[in-house]
Amino acid sequence: MDVFFAFNVALFLLMCVFAYYARWTKYAGNGHIAIAEFMFYAVVIILAITALWVWLRRYAFPAWLLVVIELGILLHFAGGLVHFGGARLYDHIYFGIRYDKYVHFANAFFAALTVQEIFRIKNLPINAFTRFAIYFVALGLGSAIEICEYVVTLTIPQNGVGGYDDNLRDLIANACGGTLFLALRGRIPGFRRQHPVQATECQP
């Protein structure tokens, strides 16, 4: 877990220095507002990664789950870094749905799988009731992101955050990702557990 988090911090900082900042200012403009919004998100991401590292480094997660989490991270960063057709990937629409809604959908599903794994490590039962609890935890994590975006709307004028409609669409996408978790009963087809369901806490 130390290696996993260190890799993602390094990846994020390298992208900020060599790509993310330049792409952000190109999209949002080079003024103080765009820079302030960029810095806000950068600080929030670094703080979130640090908090998760402090909390989760004690646990031994299966490799397949770390790959899934990394996929969710890369889907998010690709939305801002990949540009074609005169727009960011986040602004492209597929089958009538903006790309960022797919990211919300996928990351809500991945978050639910991660919380389920924490339940397993804590030796908590995984049944219909706890899966619903996990579903709502995943929705709560998605809501925390929307609260951060709301803070941007209150503190940074003329920001690039979408309005009320975009906020609700994000929450609906999160709910759909959580619903997929419930429908699959917390499983990913093709992946089987390689260790028994028991506490596997590691010493820091």
Side-chain angles (χ1 to χ4, degrees):
M1 291 302 293
D2 288 345
V3 172
F4 178 77
F5 279 103
F7 169 78
N8 279 287
V9 168
L11 177 64
F12 176 66
L13 292 176
L14 287 172
M15 285 197 299
C16 284
V17 172
F18 294 106
Y20 205 40
Y21 179 80
R23 290 291 178 89
W24 182 281
T25 53
K26 179 179 179 181
Y27 165 76
N30 205 14
H32 295 299
I33 292 173
I35 295 174
E37 189 174 353
F38 169 83
M39 292 302 298
F40 175 87
Y41 286 126
V43 169
V44 167
I45 290 172
I46 289 294
L47 290 177
I49 291 175
T50 302
L52 288 172
W53 170 70
V54 170
W55 179 41
L56 298 178
R57 68 186 300 264
R58 299 172 295 162
Y59 306 124
F61 288 100
W64 68 264
L65 183 59
L66 296 182
V67 171
V68 165
I69 295 171
E70 193 64 36
L71 175 61
I73 294 170
L74 295 177
L75 286 173
H76 166 67
F77 285 125
L81 291 174
V82 177
H83 283 230
F84 62 93
R88 304 176 305 166
L89 183 56
Y90 262 137
D91 296 320
H92 284 270
I93 297 175
Y94 301 97
F95 306 105
I97 302 172
R98 283 183 58 189
Y99 172 83
D100 74 302
K101 308 312 173 198
Y102 292 104
V103 176
H104 277 275
F105 174 88
N107 279 324
F109 177 63
F110 299 158
L113 290 174
T114 304
V115 174
Q116 177 179 253
E117 190 64 24
I118 294 172
F119 273 45
R120 290 185 188 277
I121 290 171
K122 290 292 189 179
N123 209 26
L124 297 173
I126 304 298
N127 51 40
F129 176 79
T130 52
R131 276 194 291 270
F132 267 104
I134 291 167
Y135 168 82
F136 286 112
V137 170
L139 293 191
L141 293 172
S143 298
I145 295 173
E146 300 305 315
I147 291 172
C148 288
E149 292 189 351
Y150 179 63
V151 171
V152 172
T153 66
L154 293 178
T155 57
I156 303 174
Q158 299 177 345
N159 55 76
V161 179
Y164 183 77
D165 181 69
D166 179 73
N167 176 265
L168 265 294
R169 289 174 185 265
D170 289 346
L171 293 176
I172 291 171
N174 293 341
C176 290
T179 300
L180 177 63
F181 168 81
L182 293 177
L184 294 178
R185 301 187 65 181
R187 302 188 182 96
I188 293 183
F191 288 91
R192 299 183 63 182
R193 298 189 57 78
Q194 299 299 319
H195 57 81
V197 178
Q198 60 182 2
T200 56
E201 278 198 24
C202 301
Q203 294 298 321

